[in-house]
């Protein structure tokens, strides 16, 4: 139990630290207005979900891989990042291939792989991969503040946006606190048995809750002194560049044609 | 013949150290199902936003508090916990804590933002399946845990036991809802029930013990708050003045 909690906290620190890394300036090699990126992502996801052939998701996967190399993002990092969808893809392909009926594609010992199920599984798997890569590209190439101001431009409720801003702001701070409390618990013989570990983990969450309230009180105090009246100002978006709009339209027409094929 | 049925489950259980199998990824369910789940979730989102607006008019700290609690739920739900016996990892939802403290409607918003962050930054879940994931974790998880907690308190159970049961049920009902969403989204005509059974069976080895762990986490968190900062529980109406 001790070992797995250690790993869990280390993993979550790694995961959350990676979020920060993704938004370091080196990764931004996709100079397109964030609103256009989100619009393009929306259309790509809708077209991928509604496509009836394997060609469209394959095209999207190819374009995503091309963009990743253009953006000079380490492919290994992306694979680690999309490990969950990759795992799901593997399971779906396996279950669909084995649990179907009909024409047998090939047989290995007593396991039969059915053609119909395999093709159906492949279709879903490619859709999952295409969507995961598309979302990854947008999130890896767009700073969080740009996503927020774009969402505001798309008229996402202001309250929701404000909560996103606060969440992003305090995410890293709370994770650091979690690690400090965890180390302190271990030194005081926490996590020594299974029952003790569940209790220690509960106390960790409780201690974070207390920290949350304490931070909240001091943060609001500080914000009030700076004129906070319950609303966070959000950056206004500039007008679109013609070349970017035309480029995006051409891209949409091309992928629309591929979808139609 | 039997191995044909057992093999996929064995592979599912043994192939990954981090089986983040909880949120539905983009591309798994069709566009129609995605839209349906979004439609079902939207009223809860707007009711949650309305509630936050109303509460933050009188208390300026409310929005930053929700932001901080969302960050906490995000952190809890990205902690992969290896589940005993089966050797895979899964993660708690964290919604029981937020729904008990903030109420179910605000907890839907907390889940929505946490899920959006997970989809954008960590590729857990997805954007087109955000509606489905908010429904299972945010709506079903939050409302069940809140109802169980309140019911247990009305029956005279202590805050710790009530929190424990709420945590367990938040986790189990979230996974039950996810199983239903997957089965309804993937099944062909007439095979919905058998697929639901298979998917639920695949979730059982990880979620059964994880639910109990989540119950323990919720109870532990409430116990610490009760011991150290009872005023917070009173302020957020988790406890009544004379309550235990």
């Amino acid at each position: 139990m001790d070992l797995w909690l250690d790993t869990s906290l280390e993993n979550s620190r790694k995961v959350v630290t990676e979020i920060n890394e993704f938004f370091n300036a080196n990764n931004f090699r996709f100079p397109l207005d964030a609103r256009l990126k989100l619009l393009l992502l929306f259309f790509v996801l809708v077209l991928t979900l509604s496509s009836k052939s394997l060609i469209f998701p394959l095209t999207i996967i190819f374009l995503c891989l091309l963009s990743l190399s253009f953006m000079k993002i380490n492919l290994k990092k992306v694979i680690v990042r999309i490990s969950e969808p990759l795992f799901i893809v593997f399971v779906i392909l396996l279950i669909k291939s084995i649990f179907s009926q009909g024409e047998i594609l090939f047989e290995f010992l007593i396991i039969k792989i059915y053609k119909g199920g395999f093709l159906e599984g492949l279709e879903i798997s490619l859709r999952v991969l295409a969507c995961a890569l598309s979302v990854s590209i947008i999130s890896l190439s767009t700073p969080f503040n740009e996503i927020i101001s774009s969402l505001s431009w798309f008229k996402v409720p202001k309250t929701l946006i404000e909560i996103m801003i606060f969440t992003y702001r305090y995410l890293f701070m709370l994770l650091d606190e979690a690690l400090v409390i965890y180390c302190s618990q271990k030194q005081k013989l926490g996590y020594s048995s299974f029952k003790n570990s569940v209790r220690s983990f509960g106390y960790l969450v409780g201690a974070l809750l207390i920290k949350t309230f304490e931070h909240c009180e001091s943060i609001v105090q500080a914000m009030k002194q700076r004129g906070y009246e319950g609303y966070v100002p959000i950056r206004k978006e500039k007008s679109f560049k013609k070349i970017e709009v035309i480029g995006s339209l051409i891209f949409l027409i091309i992928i629309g044609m591929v979808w139609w094929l | 013949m039997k191995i044909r049925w057992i093999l996929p489950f064995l592979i599912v259980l043994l192939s990954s150290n981090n089986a983040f199998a909880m949120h539905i990824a983009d591309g798994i369910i069709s566009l129609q199902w995605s839209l349906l789940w979004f439609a079902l979730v939207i009223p809860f989102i707007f009711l949650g936003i309305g509630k936050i607006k109303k509460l933050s008019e009188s208390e300026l700290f409310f929005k930053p508090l929700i932001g901080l609690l969302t960050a906490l739920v995000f952190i809890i739900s990205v902690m992969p916990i290896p589940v005993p016996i089966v050797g895979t990892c899964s993660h708690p939802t964290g919604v029981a804590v937020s729904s008990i403290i903030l109420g179910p409607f605000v907890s839907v918003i907390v889940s929505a933002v946490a899920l959006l962050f997970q989809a954008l930054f960590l590729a857990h879940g997805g954007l087109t399946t955000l509606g489905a994931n908010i429904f299972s974790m945010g709506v079903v998880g939050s409302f069940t845990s809140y109802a169980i907690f309140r019911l247990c308190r009305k029956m005279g159970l202590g805050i710790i036991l009530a929190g424990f049961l709420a945590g367990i049920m938040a986790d189990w009902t979230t996974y039950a809802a996810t199983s239903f969403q997957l089965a309804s989204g993937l099944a062909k005509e007439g095979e919905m029930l058998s697929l639901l059974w298979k998917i639920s069976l695949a979730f059982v080895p990880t979620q059964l013990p994880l639910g109990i762990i989540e119950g323990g986490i919720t109870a532990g968190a409430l116990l610490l708050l009760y011991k150290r900062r009872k005023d917070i529980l009173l302020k957020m109406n988790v406890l009544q003045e004379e309550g235990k």
Side-chain angles (χ1 to χ4, degrees):
Chain A
M1 183 81 172
D2 182 22
L3 180 73
W4 63 248
L5 259 177
D6 232 339
T7 323
S8 299
L9 274 169
E10 275 305 315
N11 279 351
S12 31
R13 185 174 66 167
K14 210 170 94 186
V15 155
V16 181
T17 312
E18 270 178 7
I19 302 171
N20 246 355
E21 278 178 21
F22 289 148
F23 292 100
N24 282 343
N26 289 343
N27 284 329
F28 307 143
R29 291 164 199 262
F30 207 134
L32 185 66
D33 192 301
R35 291 165 294 176
L36 288 173
K37 280 187 199 172
L38 291 182
L39 263 178
L40 287 178
L41 177 67
F42 171 77
F43 282 111
V44 165
L45 291 177
V46 168
L47 291 177
T48 307
L49 286 188
S50 56
S51 70
K52 299 280 178 228
S53 72
L54 302 178
I55 300 167
F56 188 78
L58 273 172
T59 312
I60 296 298
I61 292 170
F62 172 73
L63 287 175
C64 287
L65 293 175
L66 204 69
S67 310
L68 283 172
S69 63
F70 169 71
M71 288 156 70
K72 290 182 183 162
I73 291 175
N74 189 348
L75 194 64
K76 198 179 153 194
K77 245 184 184 179
V78 177
I79 291 171
V80 171
R81 193 172 176 277
I82 61 164
S83 57
E84 185 203 348
L86 279 176
F87 173 72
I88 293 168
V89 160
F90 171 68
V91 176
I92 288 177
L93 203 57
L94 193 82
I95 291 178
K96 284 273 177 190
S97 305
I98 295 176
F99 284 112
S100 302
Q101 299 291 335
E103 194 186 332
I104 295 168
L105 193 66
F106 70 88
E107 218 174 326
F108 175 70
L109 296 174
I110 45 169
I111 298 161
K112 290 169 187 157
I113 302 290
Y114 292 93
K115 193 182 172 185
F118 176 75
L119 286 175
E120 204 184 321
L122 190 68
E123 195 187 318
I124 298 174
S125 302
L126 288 176
R127 272 202 328 239
V128 173
L129 268 184
C131 292
L133 282 170
S134 317
V135 175
S136 294
I137 285 192
I138 298 302
S139 62
L140 287 171
S141 66
T142 318
F144 184 73
N145 63 328
E146 284 185 21
I147 294 180
I148 286 294
S149 51
S150 302
L151 289 176
S152 168
W153 190 84
F154 285 119
K155 305 287 175 209
V156 170
K158 214 176 166 187
T159 310
L160 210 57
I161 288 176
E162 282 176 273
I163 287 162
M164 283 183 214
I165 294 171
F166 285 123
T167 306
Y168 188 73
R169 168 71 183 80
Y170 302 119
L171 194 60
F172 305 100
M173 182 187 77
L174 269 187
L175 197 80
D176 286 342
E177 304 261 12
L179 280 161
V180 170
I181 297 166
Y182 173 70
C183 290
S184 159
Q185 281 179 314
K186 267 184 83 178
Q187 284 176 346
K188 289 166 187 155
L189 301 178
Y191 307 98
S192 53
S193 65
F194 184 78
K195 198 178 160 193
N196 183 258
S197 297
V198 173
R199 197 171 54 198
S200 299
F201 198 18
Y203 279 3
L204 171 70
V205 176
L208 283 176
L209 266 173
I210 292 174
K211 290 268 179 194
T212 296
F213 276 89
E214 283 168 358
H215 282 310
C216 188
E217 283 155 9
S218 53
I219 286 163
V220 172
Q221 202 59 37
M223 284 167 71
K224 267 186 198 170
Q225 285 169 352
R226 293 186 190 113
Y228 177 67
E229 286 175 346
Y231 297 99
V232 179
I234 297 157
R235 193 185 76 165
K236 287 259 188 311
E237 286 286 352
K238 293 174 195 163
S239 52
F240 289 108
K241 285 180 189 164
K242 261 184 194 169
I243 184 93
E244 289 184 355
V245 177
I246 293 166
S248 303
L249 275 173
I250 292 170
F251 175 77
L252 270 181
I253 291 167
I254 293 169
I255 60 161
M257 281 162 71
V258 177
W259 181 84
W260 191 257
L261 284 173
Chain B
M1 185 67 186
K2 270 182 187 170
I3 196 157
R4 189 178 144 227
W5 290 88
I6 296 165
L7 190 75
F9 295 115
L10 278 177
I11 293 170
V12 169
L13 296 178
L14 301 173
S15 61
S16 170
N17 284 326
N18 283 323
F20 295 100
M22 180 181 163
H23 310 312
I24 302 173
D26 277 321
I28 291 190
I29 54 173
S30 67
L31 193 61
Q32 288 89 332
W33 278 105
S34 299
L35 290 173
L36 176 76
W37 293 116
F38 268 113
L40 287 174
V41 150
I42 284 171
F44 290 96
I45 298 276
F46 277 99
L47 285 169
I49 289 173
K51 191 104 178 159
I52 294 170
K53 271 186 184 168
K54 202 176 159 192
L55 287 166
S56 55
E57 269 170 21
S58 54
E59 293 279 9
L60 274 184
F61 78 93
F62 210 72
K63 279 182 196 168
L65 175 69
I66 296 168
L68 277 155
L69 278 172
T70 309
L72 181 62
V73 168
F74 179 88
I75 289 170
I76 297 171
S77 62
V78 294
M79 279 183 187
I81 295 178
V83 180
I85 309 159
V86 293
T88 62
C89 297
S90 198
H91 58 87
T93 60
V95 285
V97 173
S98 70
S99 75
I100 289 169
I101 290 176
L102 297 169
F105 285 105
V106 180
S107 183
V108 173
I109 302 294
V110 168
S111 311
V113 176
L115 284 164
L116 178 68
F117 273 44
Q118 287 185 12
L120 274 177
F121 303 141
L122 312 171
H124 295 180
L127 292 182
T128 57
T129 52
L130 197 61
N133 291 329
I134 294 173
F135 189 85
S136 60
M137 190 170 120
V139 177
V140 176
S142 299
F143 277 86
T144 310
S145 54
Y146 186 78
I148 296 284
F149 183 79
R150 287 289 160 203
L151 190 72
C152 290
R153 294 291 290 147
K154 275 203 171 153
M155 284 163 66
L157 294 182
I159 187 171
I160 313 304
L161 189 58
F164 179 72
L165 293 173
I168 289 181
M169 291 314 290
D171 192 272
W172 287 350
T173 50
T174 296
Y175 280 90
T178 307
S179 303
F180 176 76
Q181 288 169 332
L182 279 171
S184 55
L186 290 171
K188 286 179 196 163
E189 228 179 289
E191 63 171 27
M192 158 89 185
L193 280 176
S194 70
L195 192 63
L196 179 62
W197 172 242
K198 284 174 204 163
I199 293 170
S200 307
L201 211 65
F203 272 139
V204 163
T206 51
Q207 293 328 121
L208 219 59
L210 191 74
I212 296 166
I213 293 175
E214 174 130 20
I217 293 168
T218 312
L222 289 175
L223 178 65
L224 193 72
L225 277 179
Y226 186 76
K227 277 183 182 170
R228 303 274 162 82
R229 290 290 305 266
K230 206 171 171 180
D231 60 304
I232 292 175
L233 295 175
L234 289 167
K235 193 174 184 178
M236 304 309 290
N237 289 327
V238 180
L239 279 181
Q240 307 303 319
E241 277 297 336
E242 73 285 1
K244 270 176 79 177

